[in-house]
Amino acid sequence: MTTSALFTLSGLISDSNSSTSSLYSASSLPPSSSPFHNSTTDFQNQTVCSAEDEALRWPLAVLYSLFFLFGLVGNLFALWVFLFLHASRNSVRVFLINCAVADLVLLAFLPFRVFYHINGNKWVLGSVACKAVGNLFYMNMYISIALLGLISLDRYLRLKGKGKARRGMRIRLCGRSWPWSWVACGVLWGFSLMAVVPMIATAEDKENNNKCFQYKQRNIAKGKAYFNGVLVLMFWLIFFMMVASYARVAAQLLKVSRDKPDLPNAQRYQRTAKKSFFVLFLFTVCFGPYHAFRPVYILSQLSQTISCDYLHLVDRTNEVMLLFSAFNSCLDPVMYFLLSGSVRKTALRTLGDRLGNRLRSLNDVTFNSSTVDYRRSSAPNLEVNRVSNTPRSSICASNTTLRRTDMTTLPPTRQK
């Protein structure tokens, strides 16, 4: 082999190695070699790292479908009980009605997620509809979180208050006295709608009409990342307020039941204390993991250097944690009936009455039909034995007449 041939071969090998190394760097993008300061590198990273995990597509579609079905039935039944069966007008009932409405609105957006995953993670309604669906979903989730926090605060104030505070606080507004629960719910819905409109109107870093619910960088739209951080802080404030409120309520109820065991409601106080801890447990399981991981997710969105593997891990973990939060919409009806004993009794009594009436009607129909069949099968024999010359149209009347004459007109001498 000549010297020129050797130089030519070495040149080809070096060219192939350089192209292979450049392809590897564009596909893997490790943290040390993939900064987003260059527009070309940024485009490559957005192109390669925007791919979603196909393994989660069908599990997410199935689970969100189940959440939608069970949550819709449970919250509609709870709302029906609150509006048409439950007669009391206390503040807890107002909060629970608003919580059921928030859950129903949240559930109304789950079919969009289901269709998105079934359609191969392809969005067909445009970027504005995507932002509207996503932000309204989160808005109602945080409304239900805030309402559960207000319920815990209301229970604590009722326990510690005296006189009018136990019956319910009122706020004077526009020259009229309003229950504080109505004012709190109105303010909560108003501020939520005012906050969600800028989130929908503000542009993302990269508008993509074919994608939705995917991981998004916040290098330009940093205000959205900061707003999500404020929501996380709000959640933890509500969480610790709920822990403190339910702990004080449970401690007070357990103290009363322990110090005065002869009271008629001593055992009831113990059960109420245990239910308070169960409500707090469900709240922690559903929302705790998501908001514990949320700061990691927000920091990754603001980061200028991130690898594709880390991005996929963050996105996959966030999707799994979000499932727990969406699952709360199915468990909220359980919380409603645990928080309000009168609502629980009304619902159980209504279900029992309706089920009992249904079973009773079925039993009556079965009994009557079997009796009629028995009478139809036995009546001809009786008719033939008693009156053989009576026409068919007057058999029943003749039988009744014969029975009455046998009982009333036979003289006692015929029995001898």
Side-chain angles (χ1 to χ4, degrees), residues 391-412:
R392 288 181 178 268
S393 59
S394 58
I395 287 177
C396 296
S398 302
N399 286 336
T400 54
T401 305
L402 288 174
R403 289 195 187 98
R404 290 179 181 177
T405 54
D406 289 341
M407 295 177 60
T408 57
T409 60
L410 291 179

Side-chain angles (χ1 to χ4, degrees), residues 23-61:
L23 178 63
Y24 176 76
S25 62
S27 60
S28 60
L29 293 174
S32 59
S33 62
S34 61
F36 291 129
H37 63 275
N38 189 286
S39 60
T40 305
T41 308
D42 186 20
F43 174 76
Q44 291 176 350
N45 182 71
Q46 291 290 339
T47 302
V48 176
C49 294
S50 62
E52 298 178 353
D53 192 359
E54 290 292 327
L56 286 177
R57 188 163 65 89
W58 284 106
L60 290 176

Side-chain angles (χ1 to χ4, degrees), residues 6-19:
L6 289 174
F7 278 111
T8 304
L9 180 62
S10 62
L12 292 173
I13 294 172
S14 62
D15 291 339
S16 63
N17 288 337
S18 61
S19 61

Side-chain angles (χ1 to χ4, degrees), residues 125-136:
L125 300 178
S127 60
V128 177
C130 174
K131 290 188 291 185
V133 170
N135 286 284
L136 289 173

Side-chain angles (χ1 to χ4, degrees), residues 225-226 228-229 232 293-303:
Y226 297 146
N228 291 331
V232 173
F293 181 76
R294 193 65 174 169
V296 178
Y297 185 84
I298 295 173
L299 290 176
S300 69
Q301 290 181 310
L302 295 172
S303 177

Side-chain angles (χ1 to χ4, degrees), residues 16-152:
S16 63
N17 288 337
S18 61
S19 61
T20 304
S21 61
S22 62
L23 178 63
Y24 176 76
S25 62
S27 60
S28 60
L29 293 174
S32 59
S33 62
S34 61
F36 291 129
H37 63 275
N38 189 286
S39 60
T40 305
T41 308
D42 186 20
F43 174 76
Q44 291 176 350
N45 182 71
Q46 291 290 339
T47 302
V48 176
C49 294
S50 62
E52 298 178 353
D53 192 359
E54 290 292 327
L56 286 177
R57 188 163 65 89
W58 284 106
L60 290 176
V62 172
L63 289 175
Y64 280 131
S65 299
L66 294 176
F67 294 166
F68 173 75
L69 294 176
F70 288 103
L72 186 66
V73 173
N75 284 280
L76 284 177
F77 175 73
L79 194 62
W80 175 63
V81 171
F82 296 147
L83 294 178
F84 301 106
L85 299 181
H86 193 219
S88 63
R89 304 290 177 179
N90 54 14
S91 56
V92 173
R93 176 179 175 271
V94 176
F95 289 133
L96 293 180
I97 289 175
N98 283 268
C99 196
V101 172
D103 283 337
L104 288 173
V105 177
L106 183 147
L107 291 168
F109 296 109
L110 289 185
F112 293 95
R113 286 180 172 265
V114 173
F115 177 77
Y116 174 75
H117 294 303
I118 292 177
N119 198 35
N121 289 342
K122 295 180 181 178
W123 185 256
V124 296
L125 300 178
S127 60
V128 177
C130 174
K131 290 188 291 185
V133 170
N135 286 284
L136 289 173
F137 173 87
Y138 286 107
M139 183 195 79
N140 288 277
M141 183 180 75
Y142 283 104
I143 284 177
S144 63
I145 290 173
L147 288 170
L148 292 174
L150 290 174
I151 290 173
S152 66

